[in-house]
Amino acid sequence: MGFKAAVIDLDGVLVLGNDAVQGAPAAIKRLRELGLKLRFMTNNATRSRRMLKKYLFENGFSIEEEELMSSAYCAASYLREKFGNGRVFIIGEEGLAEELDRAGFDLVADEGADFVVVGLDRHFTYEKLAIALRALKRGARFIATNEDATLPTESGPLPGAGSMVASLVWASQKKPDVVVGKPYLLMFEQALKELGTKAEETLLVGDRLETDILGGNDMGLYTVLVLTGVSTRADIENSGPDYKPKLILDSIAQLPEKLGEIEI
Ligand SMILES: [Mg+2]
C-alpha cells in the first residue's frame, strides 16, 4: 500500500442528508486499523467542528474534533495565523461564528470590521449585504468560505455559499481576497500540514469532480472518486484530465480492501 493518510469528504461520501452511507462507519474503522491518519473535510461552513462531531457521532462515526476540517474552521485558522486577531462581520451561520469566536476574533454587527467572512447563510438579508458592502468599501478583507453555487438536498438543489459570495462580488465589484474551500488549495495545504504527510502518500476521497478531485489532483494527492454522491461515471467521461480521479469506487465501503491492490 504505502499510503499514510487519507483526506475524506463528508457529504456524498460518508453521509447523505441525515443518513450514513451504507458501510461507511465500518470502512473508517478499518482505515484506522490499517494505520492511516485521517482528516475529514467539508466546504460547508454552517457547522463548527464541535457540531460536526456530534452530527457524525449520531450517524455512527467516531471522529475527533481535531480530525475535522470545515471551511469555517479553516477560515478561522487562516485568519488567526495570518493576522492574529481583529473584528469580523459574518454573513453565515452559528457554526462559522463559533469557529471565529473560538479563534479569538471579535464578531461585530456593523461595517467597522477588518474582515468580512461569507459562508452559507439561510438567513441572508439585504441588510447584511449592505453592511458587508460598506465594510469592504472601508477596506475590510473579503474572505469566502467556499464558492459552491448550490447545496444538494434530497428535494433538489438550494442556493449555496457561492450564491451569497457572488452577490457581494457583484455589489462591491471586488473578488474575495481568499477562498478557503475546495477546489482552492488552502484546506488541502492545512490538512497536509496537520497530517505531516507528503501529498503522494495521501489519499483524497470525494464525490465531486469539480471540487474534491480537481483540488486533490492540483495538490498532488491520490484522488479517489466514490459514486455515492454528486458526480457520475458519465461526468468523468465528459470532463478534462484535471478532473479525472486516479481510482473510481462505487462507495467508500470498498476502499479498505482496494488499498492493498494499489501501488504508489
Ligand atoms: Mg461531497
Side-chain angles (χ1 to χ4, degrees):
M1 173 172 89
F3 292 109
K4 294 192 174 147
V7 175
I8 300 169
D9 178 46
L10 294 180
D11 287 312
V13 177
L14 294 190
V15 284
L16 287 169
N18 281 319
D19 293 306
V21 168
Q22 201 180 2
I28 296 303
K29 199 162 165 266
R30 186 76 192 117
L31 293 176
R32 290 191 195 285
E33 288 165 5
L34 291 169
L36 292 181
K37 289 200 263 183
L38 304 177
R39 282 294 179 277
F40 300 88
M41 192 179 274
T42 178
N43 268 6
N44 191 322
T46 60
R47 290 187 178 97
S48 65
R49 294 202 293 175
R50 181 187 61 80
M51 293 157 76
L52 272 174
K53 180 183 171 175
K54 182 167 175 287
Y55 163 70
L56 290 165
F57 183 76
E58 286 162 1
N59 278 290
F61 298 96
S62 297
I63 292 172
E64 297 304 318
E65 266 189 48
E66 295 71 39
E67 295 176 310
L68 288 163
M69 312 197 78
S70 72
S71 64
Y73 163 71
C74 288
S77 302
Y78 167 80
L79 287 177
R80 188 177 51 188
E81 207 164 286
K82 191 139 194 235
F83 301 101
N85 52 45
R87 289 161 301 172
V88 181
F89 179 74
I90 292 174
I91 292 177
E93 299 191 5
E94 189 193 337
L96 181 57
E98 184 179 317
E99 292 293 2
L100 285 158
D101 180 54
R102 276 173 75 167
F105 288 90
D106 295 326
L107 308 183
V108 298
D110 59 51
E111 67 254 40
D114 306 301
F115 309 100
V116 173
V117 181
V118 184
L120 175 61
D121 187 339
R122 284 167 287 192
H123 303 282
F124 185 55
T125 62
Y126 188 82
E127 179 63 15
K128 288 184 187 178
L129 183 59
I131 294 170
L133 172 61
R134 288 200 292 266
L136 293 189
K137 292 288 178 205
R138 291 167 53 124
R141 285 190 169 80
F142 180 4
I143 317 296
T145 60
N146 67 83
E147 289 185 329
D148 293 3
T150 57
L151 179 75
T153 74
E154 291 94 332
S155 47
L158 290 173
S163 300
M164 277 126 244
V165 171
S167 40
L168 185 54
V169 167
W170 193 248
S172 65
Q173 295 293 300
K174 190 175 182 294
K175 286 191 172 151
D177 295 293
V178 179
V179 183
V180 176
K182 305 168 281 185
Y184 296 91
L185 298 186
L186 196 73
M187 286 213 294
F188 294 112
E189 287 166 357
Q190 193 166 338
L192 288 182
K193 200 164 106 190
E194 288 187 14
L195 289 162
T197 56
K198 295 189 189 111
E200 62 270 23
E201 59 196 18
T202 307
L203 293 150
L204 180 280
V205 188
D207 70 307
R208 208 164 173 151
L209 296 176
E210 65 273 24
T211 53
D212 303 318
I213 304 303
L214 177 62
N217 283 342
D218 203 7
M219 194 74 211
L221 306 173
Y222 189 96
T223 48
V224 181
L225 183 82
V226 294
L227 298 171
T228 43
V230 172
S231 299
T232 63
R233 282 186 196 275
D235 294 332
I236 301 167
E237 279 159 30
N238 296 328
S239 59
D242 294 347
Y243 295 80
K244 301 261 194 243
K246 290 212 164 63
L247 178 69
I248 305 163
L249 298 175
D250 288 331
S251 159
I252 194 168
Q254 299 173 323
L255 183 62
E257 59 173 315
K258 272 282 169 195
L259 281 183
E261 299 169 20
I262 310 167
E263 288 299 325
I264 55 168

